Amino acid sequence: MTTHNKSSKSLISRRKTFFGIGATLALVGGGGYASYYLSSSPKQRINDYPPQSIRIAWPKSESDSLLAIAQTEGFFEKYALNVTILPNIQNHLQAMDALKQNLCDAAVLSALDWLPELLGGVPARLLVGISGGNFRLLASRKQRIDRLIDLAGLKIATHRHSAKERLFFSILLRRKGLNPEQNIKWVEMEKEELLPALLSNQVQAIIGNDPLMWEILSHANKQVFELAGSQSGSWSSRANRILGMNNQFLNTNPNITTPLALSIRHASKWQTEHLQETSMLLADQLKAMSSKEILAMLKNQNQNIVPINNQLWEQVAQYIDEFKLLGKVPNSLSSSRTARQFCLSIQS
C-alpha cells in the first residue's frame, strides 16, 4: 500500500470516528466513568501519568475539531485521561448549568461568558485556553463605512443568543469612543436573516462568529467586507474559549490539571500543523462550505492559542480591564489580583 493510500485511509477512519464521537461519548457516561482501564500500552503514554477520569461540558462538541483531534489522535489517551463529554450541550448556559449542578467536572466557555460567573462567585478555576476568537463584523460595500466610528447611529444585527459576540464588539466600539448602548441600534435576527437584511440596508452591519461569518464572507465577498474582528490587534493572540474546572473536583483530583492542559496543547499544535486534514474533518459538518473554503477559514483564524499559567492570567486580566471599560466591574477591582485568583498554575 502506498503512503498516500495509508494517509487517505487514516483520514477516513478519523472522520468516521469524529462524527461518532457525540453518540459514543454519550454512552460512555455512567459506568465508563467509574470503571476505566486505559487500553494503550505504557510505551504510548507520556511521563507515565496515572489513569484519571473527567467529565466535561463542551458546547457543540460534535463539530469541534480540537476535541475530535484530541480524541481520534489519542492525545487524551497518551496522558492517561478518560474524558467523558456530556451529550447535547449546545451553548454556554447549558454548560454552566451542568457545572453548577455537578453533572460535570469542567466546562469549556468563552472568557466573556466565564467572567460574569466567576465574578458572581461560581466556585471554579480556569486552566487552559482552548482557542482564539473568530468574531467578525461585516458591512455592505455599498455603505460609506470605513471605520468602526462610522457605525455611530446605525443598526448592527446579531443572531439570537449571541451575547458574547455583542460584548466583544461593544468593547471595540467603546475603545473608539462610542457608547455601544447609546450610539448603536442593536437588532436581533435569525441567522438566515442576517445577510438579506444587510444587503437590503435594513441594517448597516452584522456580527457573529465562524463558521457562519466566514460562510457569508466567502459567498458574498463582492457585496460585503470585514470591517473588524478578533483576527488582528491585541485580540489576535488572546484565547477566547477557556476550560475551567469545578473547585470541588479540583480538591479531590489536583493531579489532573497538568496532563489535561498538556493534552489540549498537543492537540492544538497538531491541528495547526495539519490544517488540510482538519478541514477535511470538518467538511461533513459544515456542508454549506467546501473543504477548500474551510481550509481558507482555518488559515485566516489564529491557530494554536492555548495559554496556561502566567500567560493565561495576564489575558484574563485584560478581559477584566475591558469589563471595567464597559462599566461591568468597578475600577477599584484589581484586575491582576483577581485574574490570579481565577486561574490555576500548573507545572509544564
Side-chain angles (χ1 to χ4, degrees):
M1 182 180 291
T2 64
T3 302
H4 171 73
N5 288 338
K6 287 181 180 178
S7 177
S8 299
K9 194 170 183 179
S10 175
L11 175 59
I12 291 171
S13 176
R14 279 194 289 271
R15 289 179 72 176
K16 287 180 179 178
T17 304
F18 176 52
F19 300 117
I21 280 178
T24 302
L25 292 177
L27 295 173
V28 169
Y33 181 75
S35 57
Y36 169 60
Y37 295 95
L38 200 66
S39 60
S40 62
S41 68
K43 293 181 181 179
Q44 293 176 303
R45 300 182 195 169
I46 297 176
N47 292 342
D48 287 326
Y49 288 106
Q52 299 181 87
S53 298
I54 186 170
R55 304 165 299 170
I56 304 178
W58 196 309
K60 298 182 179 178
S61 59
E62 67 279 358
S63 59
D64 191 287
S65 60
L66 182 62
L67 176 60
I69 288 166
Q71 294 281 358
T72 60
E73 295 298 322
F75 288 104
F76 289 147
E77 191 175 44
K78 288 177 182 176
Y79 284 91
L81 294 170
N82 177 40
V83 177
T84 301
I85 304 298
L86 266 64
N88 304 319
I89 301 294
Q90 295 301 309
N91 55 54
H92 74 281
L93 296 175
Q94 293 174 344
M96 182 52 65
D97 283 345
L99 192 70
K100 290 177 179 178
Q101 296 175 34
N102 291 320
L103 299 176
C104 63
D105 312 307
V108 173
L109 303 175
S110 166
L112 297 172
D113 291 324
W114 268 119
L115 271 184
E117 299 289 348
L118 294 172
L119 289 165
V122 167
R125 304 281 296 282
L126 304 178
L127 175 64
V128 57
I130 295 291
S131 63
N134 49 30
F135 303 121
R136 302 182 194 274
L137 183 151
L138 307 183
S140 170
R141 293 189 184 277
K142 294 180 181 179
Q143 300 296 317
R144 298 178 63 87
I145 298 174
D146 301 312
R147 302 170 299 168
L148 281 173
I149 199 169
D150 295 334
L151 293 169
L154 302 183
K155 295 180 181 179
I156 300 179
T158 74
H159 62 81
R160 304 190 194 285
H161 310 299
S162 58
K164 59 180 173 292
E165 289 91 336
R166 176 170 168 174
L167 184 55
F168 169 76
F169 284 105
S170 292
I171 293 169
L172 294 191
L173 292 165
R174 191 68 186 88
R175 284 178 172 176
K176 298 299 180 181
L178 296 178
N179 185 320
E181 300 306 319
Q182 296 178 5
N183 301 138
I184 298 296
K185 299 174 183 176
W186 298 97
V187 181
E188 279 195 355
M189 295 182 170
E190 299 299 332
K191 291 181 179 181
E192 59 272 14
E193 297 175 321
L194 292 175
L195 182 58
L198 180 60
L199 297 180
S200 64
N201 200 34
Q202 294 178 49
V203 298
Q204 288 68 56
I206 59 176
I207 64 172
N209 58 10
D210 292 343
L212 175 64
M213 289 293 105
W214 187 262
E215 179 187 334
I216 291 174
L217 194 59
S218 298
H219 295 174
N221 62 341
K222 292 183 179 180
Q223 299 165 290
V224 304
F225 70 99
E226 183 176 343
L227 178 65
S230 58
Q231 313 304 314
S232 60
S234 63
W235 288 77
S236 63
S237 59
R238 205 189 306 179
N240 171 30
R241 296 185 303 161
I242 301 175
L243 185 145
M245 305 175 73
N246 178 285
N247 284 352
Q248 183 178 349
F249 176 76
L250 278 170
N251 290 338
T252 55
N253 300 271
N255 296 325
I256 200 171
T257 56
T258 296
L260 181 58
L262 295 184
S263 65
I264 289 171
R265 287 195 124 194
H266 281 187
S268 180
K269 185 171 184 282
W270 189 97
Q271 175 172 302
T272 302
E273 295 171 349
H274 298 83
L275 292 183
Q276 175 91 39
E277 202 161 0
T278 302
S279 70
M280 296 177 70
L281 281 172
L282 291 172
D284 287 344
Q285 282 289 317
L286 308 180
K287 296 183 184 299
M289 290 194 290
S290 67
S291 58
K292 183 178 180 181
E293 289 172 331
I294 297 172
L295 179 59
M297 176 183 72
L298 293 173
K299 288 182 176 179
N300 183 264
Q301 294 173 349
N302 301 307
Q303 299 291 330
N304 203 28
I305 299 179
V306 280
I308 58 175
N309 294 337
N310 287 355
Q311 189 180 15
L312 180 61
W313 75 254
E314 286 172 358
Q315 292 189 12
V316 172
Q318 289 177 309
Y319 279 113
I320 297 173
D321 284 338
E322 287 158 348
F323 270 49
K324 291 180 182 179
L325 194 63
L326 295 177
K328 293 185 175 296
V329 295
N331 288 328
S332 58
L333 183 73
S334 171
S335 300
S336 178
R337 187 181 304 115
T338 304
R340 283 185 179 274
Q341 292 172 350
F342 289 165
C343 296
L344 289 161
S345 294
I346 68 168
Q347 291 184 346
S348 57

